[in-house]
Amino acid sequence: MILYHGSNVEVKEPILLKVQRELDFGKGFYTTSDMEQAARWAWRTAKRRGESNAFVTVYEVNEDELKNIRLLSFDSPNVEWLNFVVKNRKGEYIAGDWDIISGPVADDQTAQVIDLYLEGAYDEEEAIRRFLTQRLKDQYAFKTDEALKLLIFKEVITL
């Protein structure tokens, strides 16, 4: 499986940062199987940090090795996924000793739905219905150093 990481720097050897923003699956090293999504992350990160450079780092993962780790996978935007993402984005991290968490990425469009859900304008059913109409990309949050060892560096693409 090929995974991409978008950033304002090249990341040949990924590490887990001590401090991170509230993201969908909590702290971790985020990748996606969608190159365009990674490019959007790269430009967004560069802009947020006042940088003019954006990079997508490409990794390969042997899918057979994923069988030997603790993986939490959300196959679709469902109620469990919604509540997990909302809690993490609010900084109410959900305890668990997963090596990798995968599932749909809450992008700018989904963020609007999540905000309306948090405000009470949408209930769970309506929020999920709106997510299902969107073409959500995937994300893989590598949560442990052991999981990071599965990422085999391939190349860096300068955007």
Side-chain angles (χ1 to χ4, degrees):
M1 167 172 47
I2 299 296
L3 294 176
Y4 306 95
H5 174 79
S7 183
N8 64 309
V9 296
E10 298 180 12
V11 186
K12 294 178 181 177
E13 295 182 24
I15 60 170
L16 296 172
L17 301 176
K18 301 261 188 245
V19 178
Q20 223 166 6
R21 302 179 348 261
E22 279 86 27
L23 301 171
D24 293 354
F25 299 151
K27 294 178 182 179
F29 182 78
Y30 281 73
T31 64
T32 178
S33 67
D34 186 84
M35 172 62 181
E36 291 178 20
Q37 177 68 33
R40 281 192 296 275
W41 287 345
W43 284 117
R44 184 176 298 142
T45 301
K47 182 178 178 183
R48 186 175 61 244
R49 295 185 178 158
E51 301 283 338
S52 59
N53 296 321
F55 303 94
V56 172
T57 306
V58 183
Y59 306 95
E60 187 173 355
V61 174
N62 180 337
E63 291 185 61
D64 290 335
E65 293 187 31
L66 294 176
K67 297 173 187 171
N68 300 321
I69 62 158
R70 298 163 298 192
L71 174 66
L72 174 62
S73 182
F74 297 99
D75 296 328
S76 64
N78 56 30
V79 171
E80 182 183 26
W81 170 83
L82 173 63
N83 290 322
F84 194 90
V85 168
V86 165
K87 285 185 178 186
N88 280 303
R89 285 190 164 210
K90 289 170 56 178
E92 301 170 6
Y93 300 114
I94 298 170
D97 56 335
W98 303 289
D99 294 307
I100 299 174
I101 302 175
S102 69
V105 61
D107 61 11
D108 293 339
Q109 284 185 309
T110 31
Q112 293 172 357
V113 174
I114 289 173
D115 289 344
L116 290 167
Y117 169 72
L118 289 170
E119 293 168 6
Y122 295 156
D123 61 11
E124 287 177 343
E125 184 177 307
E126 179 63 18
I128 298 302
R129 187 183 72 72
R130 289 180 180 268
F131 290 137
L132 292 175
T133 64
Q134 299 176 17
R135 297 177 64 187
L136 301 179
K137 306 298 183 185
D138 63 16
Q139 62 185 339
Y140 295 81
F142 287 73
K143 311 280 285 175
T144 64
D145 290 326
E146 193 66 31
L148 287 177
K149 292 177 185 174
L150 299 177
L151 292 170
I152 301 163
F153 171 78
K154 298 310 263 181
E155 67 177 313
V156 174
I157 300 167
T158 303
L159 303 176

